[in-house]
C-alpha cells in the first residue's frame, strides 16, 4: 500500500481529528503522524499490526531454518570441530588480544 500526501498528518491535526483518522484507518488507510515536520508515529489497523507481527515471526523462523540447513550441510561436509577445542581457541585468542592491549605504548620524542 502506498502512502499519499493525505495520509501524512501533523500531530496537532491528528489530535484534533483522531476519531476521523481512526475511522479512515479502520477502513484500510494507514496514516503517518508527523511532529515538527518529521515522521513520528504511524496509525494502522490493529489487525494489520498483528499481521505484520506474524510476518516478522515467520521471517525469523525461516532464517532459523536456513541457519539449521547450513549447519547440517557443514556437518555432512565435515566442516566441524570439537566444541571444547573451539571455545579454548576463542578464549586463548581473547586472552592474547587482551594482554597485548594492556601493554603501555612507548612514547616517541621527536
Amino acid at each position: 500500500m502506498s502512502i499519499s500526501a493525505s495520509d501524512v498528518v501533523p500531530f496537532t491535526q491528528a489530535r484534533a481529528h483522531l476519531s476521523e483518522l481512526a475511522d479512515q484507518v479502520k477502513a484500510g488507510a494507514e496514516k503517518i503522524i508527523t511532529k515538527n515536520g518529521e515522521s513520528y508515529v504511524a496509525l494502522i489497523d490493529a489487525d494489520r499490526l498483528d499481521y505484520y507481527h506474524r510476518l516478522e515471526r515467520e521471517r525469523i523462523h525461516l532464517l532459523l531454518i536456513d541457519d539449521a540447513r547450513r549447519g547440517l550441510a557443514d556437518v555432512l561436509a565435515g566442516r566441524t570441530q570439537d566444541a571444547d577445542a573451539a571455545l579454548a581457541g576463542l578464549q586463548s585468542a581473547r586472552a592474547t588480544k587482551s594482554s597485548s592491549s594492556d601493554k603501555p605504548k612507548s612514547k616517541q620524542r621527536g
Side-chain angles (χ1 to χ4, degrees):
M1 169 180 271
S2 62
I3 301 288
S4 69
S6 65
D7 294 326
V8 179
V9 183
F11 193 86
T12 53
Q13 184 181 346
R15 187 180 318 139
H17 301 283
L18 183 58
S19 181
E20 293 91 356
L21 290 173
D23 290 340
Q24 292 173 17
V25 166
K26 194 63 181 167
E30 292 180 347
K31 301 293 181 177
I32 302 294
I33 310 298
T34 61
K35 188 172 185 179
N36 299 323
E38 296 186 17
S39 60
Y40 187 61
V41 296
L43 187 60
I44 65 171
D45 180 68
D47 290 336
R48 184 168 294 176
L49 178 63
D50 184 50
Y51 172 72
Y52 291 160
H53 284 221
R54 285 194 319 269
L55 284 177
E56 180 63 16
R57 282 191 303 274
E58 287 177 20
R59 186 184 74 81
I60 290 168
H61 291 154
L62 290 173
L63 290 172
L64 290 171
I65 289 169
D66 190 51
D67 284 347
R69 182 194 54 77
R70 283 187 278 125
L72 289 173
D74 285 343
V75 169
L76 291 173
R79 294 184 298 261
T80 62
Q81 69 184 74
D82 179 71
D84 291 332
L87 289 174
L90 289 172
Q91 290 170 343
S92 175
R94 185 179 296 149
T96 302
K97 182 178 178 183
S98 176
S99 67
S100 68
S101 66
D102 289 343
K103 292 180 184 176
K105 296 181 180 179
S106 62
K107 295 182 181 178
Q108 294 181 349
R109 295 182 183 209

